[in-house]
Amino acid sequence: MTELSSGLSSEEARQRLERFGPNEFGGTGRTQVLRQFLARFANPLVSVLLFASAVSAMTGDVAGAGIIATIIVLSVSLDFVQEYRAGRAAEALARRVALTAHVLRDGKVWELPFSAIVPGDVVLLAAGDLVPGDGWLLEGKDIFVDQAALTGEPYPVERHAAPAGTLPQQPQALSPEVPYALFLGSSVVSGTGRMLVLHTGSRTLLGRIAGSLERPAPPTAFEIGTRQFGLLIMRLTVGLVLFVLLVNLLFQRPLLESFLFAVALAVGLTPELLPMIVSVTLARGALRMAKENVIVKRLSAIQDLGAVDVLCTDKTGTLTEAKIRLERHVDIDGNASEHVLELAYLNSFFETGLKSPMDEAILEHREIDASQWRKVDEVPFDFERRRISVLLEREGRRFLLVKGAPEEILPQCKGFETGSGTVQGFDAAVRARATQLFDNLGEDGFRVLAIAWKEVEPARDHASVADETDLVFAGFAAFFDPPKASASLAVQALIDSGVAVKILTGDNERVTRHVCTQLHLPVAGVLTGKEIAAMNDEALRARVEACNIFCRLDPMQKNRVLLALKARGHVVAYLGDGINDAPSLHTADVGISVDSAVDVAKHAADFILLQQDLRVLHAGIREGRRTFGNVMKYIMMATSSNFGNMFSMAGATLFLPFLPMRPLQILLNNLLYDLSEIPLPLDQVDEEDMQKPRKWEMRFVRDFMLSVGPISSVFDFLTFYLLLRLFAADQVLFHTGWFVESVATQVLVIFVLRTRQSPLRSRPHPSLAAAALGVVALAVLLPFSPLAPYLGFRPLPPLFFVVLAAVVLAYLFLVEQVKRSFFRRHVGSGHA
């Protein structure tokens, strides 16, 4: 066993990291990358195409089979490389806000990422920390941990230091029932201590049962929508493929070629680029958000952020500067009291839980000598009692010092301390005086804590909640947190963007109203925790819409408010940074925390703000809408020209004596189309699409497909007619002409569909324009290249390009008119 007093040496830690691996789940390295690449070939359509091309090679068409296989590999590689690079970029950003632990090594305390912790490390723990591995508690004071993720226990459990000599010979015997065992996935609610790490990564209890505990996050509305879209396309694909096979069999065409054509048609119809477009767009969005000081932990949450229409936040640090100062310490008459300051200081000094900003303000206000006092016990803070007590001893006498919310402490008092130091009875009239002073401080914008005490018998060595009665009221500590100058403009910007801002706070109504007045924020309605406690869920749902201030809330009441808003159809974001915020961060559609937050909150959040400012969040919301807009562009493309071309191809089999396009030409068409769409994530989104939340609507996608999709088919059939009548095209010329027309129409239409405005007013990103024009130019040049005979092409007559220009311009003009009419209808009906 390593020397526990100084921790591991750096060399020993390095060796153990090589032996046990990083403290994380899942595979890494080249093997994992290769597995991800090969998984792309598990796509049924890809597998069938490769098998069919192999059969084609064995029957003599080696060149055609080789070209098909090459195109498939290029398509799969293109998809994989783009998505892999996007994933690596997102992971690099996430590492910037990776969880860390304080580890003892070489006799010094180092702050190290969780991934660097190894068995044998000694870790220092404090309230708000996540436990970085499985192990024993070596020493601790008032350590309570929340291990609900492992055991389902609803309340924190106390952990005690392992008795001397009980360190296990077989560390795999760890069990949640052992009173000194700690586990990865649990969090420290209060207290401090040291633990010896015995297991890391997949060897932890959480790692062994990760399959059941670490389930994927529930799909977002956008993910559900894209899945529905994919299923719709697949159903259409199956129908068209079966139709094509049936027609070719009836016309007694070659079976293998007909089968290859049908499968290639399915590939052309399948939106196989959608996952890559989504991944790359999200990663690009994450990189842009990082420049705005927003780090993305869960990529799919970016789309949810763009759909957010309600932001719930505490006021501290968002509406205020989070620079809390102790301004006053007064007795019941409102006079300055040094005794109140001393009692508040001693309570904060000896408290072992996570110190609040008000604790820090007390300790920074003035240093008081606490050397004459000895701590005996503590009753940690919780959000039901909203107070904390410490049992202290001095000169043989023991006192319970209590600090907390005035609403909770005043009812527990039976006496009060006068300015002269005497104690008198706490009757109704005195309570009214104390309450009035509390209200006056709140109206002046002060956050207030009540300070009380009582003397207990000298033999008392344990304190409990039951002891927090018959207290002597000493006075109030009043704190001031100045309003943030930028908050008013930031909140107004959010409101103008269609995001309602609701304040969920533990402070009282008067303090919150004062801050809102200072920032010129209108108060629409107020609900208190006491009122919410008296409501059922239906009543709360009826009230949350009209209220924008929720005061004196405990964590469960915050959760209820979020659930009520979600039940009314809102997409809700929650901004929090404390231990008590973790449940709400999980409940919200989008959880947002800050870099200075406790580990528990950062772990639960989807986004981390490096700068605690609503302006940063507003920029992030706009980026979410930009990401949604660019993904929708691809979907609108897939439901219009691409789908129309494939539908035309299926229809052409009815009257053509040959296949309308060879299988390898369909695959090449699909590859070129994919190449043209790669820069789509770089494109700008119109300002009108950034001004309000955007949600996925399958009805919108379906209606757009039915409105715009058939236009492509109409112009395809016009091209068929012209090729057969005007150019008297044989099979090769027909294939060549339609290939060029098909690529031109389905690629160039991006200039029309990428914006609701006129294409002349909204310009595409230069990379997108260059890719689209380059792909069309390549399609035009291919019939004149040395590859033409292998691809089944031949040079086209000059007149064809004149006709092609006229067809493409007419097509784009008609799509523009239908698009404008479509958006006028849908904007009027509220679906766009």
Side-chain angles (χ1 to χ4, degrees):
M1 185 66 64
T2 185
E3 181 61 47
L4 300 180
S5 60
S6 60
L8 296 174
S9 67
S10 297
E11 178 59 26
E12 177 65 20
R14 185 190 63 78
Q15 293 176 5
R16 295 192 182 200
L17 187 62
E18 290 181 358
R19 176 184 171 191
F20 295 105
N23 183 22
E24 53 194 26
F25 303 150
T28 57
R30 296 180 181 178
T31 303
Q32 184 75 0
V33 172
L34 181 61
R35 190 179 300 120
Q36 291 173 358
F37 177 70
L38 293 177
R40 307 283 166 155
F41 292 94
N43 181 310
L45 294 176
V46 172
S47 301
V48 169
L49 272 174
L50 287 173
F51 174 77
S53 64
V55 173
S56 180
M58 288 187 289
T59 57
D61 187 10
V62 177
I67 293 173
I68 290 176
T70 301
I71 292 174
I72 292 170
V73 171
L74 283 174
S75 294
V76 168
S77 300
L78 174 71
D79 186 11
F80 171 76
V81 169
Q82 291 292 322
E83 198 164 339
Y84 178 79
R85 290 174 59 190
R88 297 291 79 76
E91 288 177 9
L93 289 175
R95 283 196 292 271
R96 291 175 58 180
V97 290
L99 296 176
T100 59
H102 291 89
V103 184
L104 188 64
R105 285 188 186 171
D106 298 315
K108 297 179 181 179
V109 177
W110 303 85
E111 186 175 2
L112 301 176
F114 270 33
S115 59
I117 292 172
V118 297
D121 267 327
V122 175
V123 177
L124 279 62
L125 297 174
D129 289 346
L130 283 172
V131 177
D134 291 359
W136 292 118
L137 183 63
L138 298 175
E139 56 184 70
K141 180 61 178 174
D142 300 314
I143 284 270
F144 283 81
V145 297
D146 180 354
Q147 52 186 30
L150 290 168
T151 64
E153 295 171 281
Y155 301 107
V157 295
E158 189 169 9
R159 283 291 178 252
H160 305 280
T166 61
L167 294 181
Q169 299 300 314
Q170 293 182 321
Q172 65 269 23
L174 286 173
S175 164
E177 287 74 35
V178 178
Y180 27 82
L182 296 171
F183 296 92
L184 179 68
S186 56
S187 58
V188 181
V189 176
S190 64
T192 59
R194 292 188 182 198
M195 73 170 291
L196 174 66
V197 177
L198 300 174
H199 291 309
T200 58
S202 58
R203 295 178 180 84
T204 61
L205 178 61
L206 181 62
R208 294 198 299 272
I209 57 176
S212 58
L213 288 178
E214 293 291 314
R215 296 186 181 94
T220 65
F222 188 87
E223 290 170 330
I224 293 172
T226 52
R227 194 173 301 151
Q228 291 173 342
F229 167 71
L231 290 173
L232 170 66
I233 294 296
M234 286 305 296
R235 282 194 289 267
L236 292 172
T237 298
V238 170
L240 285 176
V241 167
L242 292 176
F243 171 78
V244 166
L245 278 174
L246 179 62
V247 169
N248 283 316
L249 288 174
L250 288 175
F251 289 159
Q252 297 182 341
R253 291 168 181 161
L255 181 61
L256 179 59
E257 189 175 17
S258 298
F259 177 70
L260 276 171
F261 174 80
V263 177
L265 181 64
V267 172
L269 278 168
T270 304
E272 79 286 348
L273 201 64
L274 181 59
M276 187 274 284
I277 288 288
V278 170
S279 296
V280 174
T281 304
L282 292 177
R284 297 277 186 185
L287 291 170
R288 280 195 290 258
M289 291 176 77
K291 294 178 182 178
E292 302 287 349
N293 290 317
V294 181
I295 301 299
V296 181
K297 288 182 58 191
R298 180 171 65 88
L299 278 181
S300 61
I302 293 178
Q303 291 137 341
D304 285 335
L305 188 61
V308 163
D309 59 358
V310 175
L311 169 66
C312 296
T313 177
D314 195 352
K315 60 183 181 59
T316 304
T318 51
L319 303 182
T320 64
E321 293 287 355
K323 298 177 181 176
I324 297 177
R325 303 189 304 268
L326 176 61
E327 293 284 340
R328 302 180 64 185
H329 36 91
V330 299
D331 60 19
I332 196 169
D333 296 316
N335 299 319
S337 170
E338 291 298 311
H339 186 51
V340 170
L341 175 61
E342 180 185 18
L343 295 176
Y345 185 94
L346 292 171
N347 181 286
S348 296
F349 182 83
F350 286 104
E351 173 189 350
T352 58
L354 184 68
K355 295 193 185 302
S356 71
M358 288 188 283
D359 285 314
E360 301 289 352
I362 291 170
L363 296 174
E364 291 173 3
H365 182 73
R366 186 192 309 163
E367 187 172 352
I368 294 177
D369 183 14
S371 61
Q372 302 298 314
W373 293 87
R374 182 179 70 86
K375 181 178 177 181
V376 179
D377 200 14
E378 175 179 352
V379 185
F381 179 88
D382 67 55
F383 290 93
E384 291 184 12
R385 295 164 35 251
R386 290 193 294 168
R387 57 182 181 261
I388 180 172
S389 300
V390 292
L391 181 60
L392 304 181
E393 179 185 28
R394 185 179 68 173
E395 298 175 353
R397 299 172 67 186
R398 295 191 175 185
F399 299 86
L400 186 71
L401 308 187
V402 188
K403 175 180 91 251
E407 299 95 330
E408 303 298 331
I409 287 185
L410 292 180
Q412 306 302 324
C413 295
K414 75 167 186 177
F416 76 98
E417 196 174 319
T418 66
S420 60
T422 60
V423 176
Q424 298 181 8
F426 200 75
D427 57 21
V430 174
R431 180 172 299 178
R433 283 169 55 195
T435 303
Q436 185 61 51
L437 176 59
F438 168 48
D439 291 344
N440 291 342
L441 290 169
E443 287 173 357
D444 290 337
F446 290 109
R447 301 173 66 177
V448 180
L449 291 177
I451 312 297
W453 60 275
K454 80 172 183 180
E455 187 169 4
V456 299
E457 60 273 19
R460 178 73 66 88
D461 61 358
H462 180 71
S464 67
V465 174
D467 295 321
E468 297 174 331
T469 57
D470 299 335
L471 302 175
V472 176
F473 174 69
F476 293 118
F479 306 81
F480 185 66
D481 187 10
K484 184 174 288 187
S486 64
S488 182
L489 291 176
V491 170
Q492 191 57 51
L494 286 167
I495 293 172
D496 292 343
S497 298
V499 180
V501 178
K502 297 183 184 288
I503 301 171
L504 278 58
T505 179
D507 280 341
N508 64 48
E509 177 183 344
R510 288 179 173 82
V511 175
T512 309
R513 281 185 178 274
H514 178 85
V515 172
C516 291
T517 301
Q518 292 289 307
L519 296 174
H520 310 290
L521 303 178
V523 177
V526 180
L527 267 181
T528 66
K530 185 177 293 186
E531 291 171 327
I532 291 175
M535 295 179 180
N536 60 26
D537 291 340
E538 289 75 15
L540 182 58
R541 283 197 289 270
R543 293 288 305 277
V544 289
E545 195 77 36
C547 297
N548 65 342
I549 292 180
F550 301 83
C551 301
R552 284 302 188 199
L553 301 185
D554 62 35
M556 294 309 298
Q557 289 168 342
K558 288 183 179 181
N559 236 20
R560 287 188 63 198
V561 170
L562 297 183
L563 290 170
L565 288 166
K566 291 175 68 174
R568 292 185 65 95
H570 292 290
V571 179
V572 182
Y574 180 81
L575 174 57
D577 61 359
I579 296 177
N580 59 308
D581 290 315
S584 297
L585 289 167
H586 277 295
T587 297
D589 295 293
V590 179
I592 306 164
S593 194
V594 296
D595 196 26
S596 58
V598 298
D599 285 350
V600 182
K602 289 167 69 174
H603 182 66
D606 302 310
F607 297 91
I608 303 293
L609 306 185
L610 301 182
Q611 182 181 344
Q612 194 166 352
D613 193 326
L614 288 181
R615 291 176 299 181
V616 172
L617 186 56
H618 178 246
I621 288 174
R622 287 178 58 84
E623 191 54 53
R625 294 176 185 177
R626 185 197 317 278
T627 301
F628 180 92
N630 280 333
V631 173
M632 285 302 297
K633 290 175 187 177
Y634 175 77
I635 289 174
M636 292 164 74
M637 289 277 292
T639 55
S640 56
S641 62
N642 186 39
F643 178 76
N645 282 342
M646 296 302 123
F647 184 81
S648 304
M649 210 174 297
T653 58
L654 285 173
F655 62 85
L656 288 175
F658 48 80
L659 291 176
M661 200 180 284
R662 291 177 60 186
L664 69 87
Q665 293 167 348
I666 297 176
L667 295 174
L668 181 60
N669 178 304
N670 199 49
L671 176 63
L672 292 177
Y673 172 72
D674 287 356
L675 285 171
S676 72
E677 300 300 295
I678 288 176
L680 195 57
L682 301 173
D683 199 27
Q684 294 299 312
V685 174
D686 294 337
E687 186 59 34
E688 60 188 298
D689 287 332
M690 307 275 279
Q691 289 177 351
K692 63 180 181 178
R694 301 190 65 190
K695 301 178 184 178
W696 174 272
E697 290 191 37
M698 192 63 198
R699 176 183 170 188
F700 176 86
V701 174
R702 184 199 63 208
D703 290 353
F704 186 84
M705 180 173 69
L706 295 176
S707 298
V708 180
I711 300 174
S712 177
S713 294
V714 169
F715 277 85
D716 284 336
F717 284 112
L718 174 62
T719 302
F720 297 165
Y721 177 82
L722 293 173
L723 285 169
L724 294 172
R725 296 294 182 185
L726 183 60
F727 296 98
D730 60 8
Q731 180 174 339
V732 176
L733 184 63
F734 185 93
H735 288 166
T736 307
W738 190 41
F739 175 86
V740 174
E741 186 271 347
S742 174
V743 171
T745 53
Q746 70 178 2
V747 170
L748 293 177
V749 79
I750 186 60
F751 296 114
V752 175
L753 298 183
R754 57 168 294 277
T755 175
R756 298 189 187 197
Q757 303 174 11
S758 164
L760 301 177
R761 290 178 55 198
S762 176
R763 296 186 177 181
H765 190 278
S767 298
L768 181 63
L773 295 175
V775 163
V776 173
L778 180 61
V780 169
L781 293 175
L782 274 176
F784 301 93
S785 73
L787 293 175
Y790 301 101
L791 299 174
F793 296 148
R794 79 174 191 215
L796 292 161
L799 179 62
F800 172 82
F801 295 102
V802 176
V803 173
L804 175 67
V807 168
V808 170
L809 287 174
Y811 169 68
L812 296 180
F813 176 79
L814 185 56
V815 170
E816 172 67 17
Q817 302 311 308
V818 172
K819 179 197 75 176
R820 291 186 183 187
S821 173
F822 175 83
F823 279 117
R824 278 196 299 269
R825 293 197 314 271
H826 277 260
V827 169
S829 63
H831 291 294

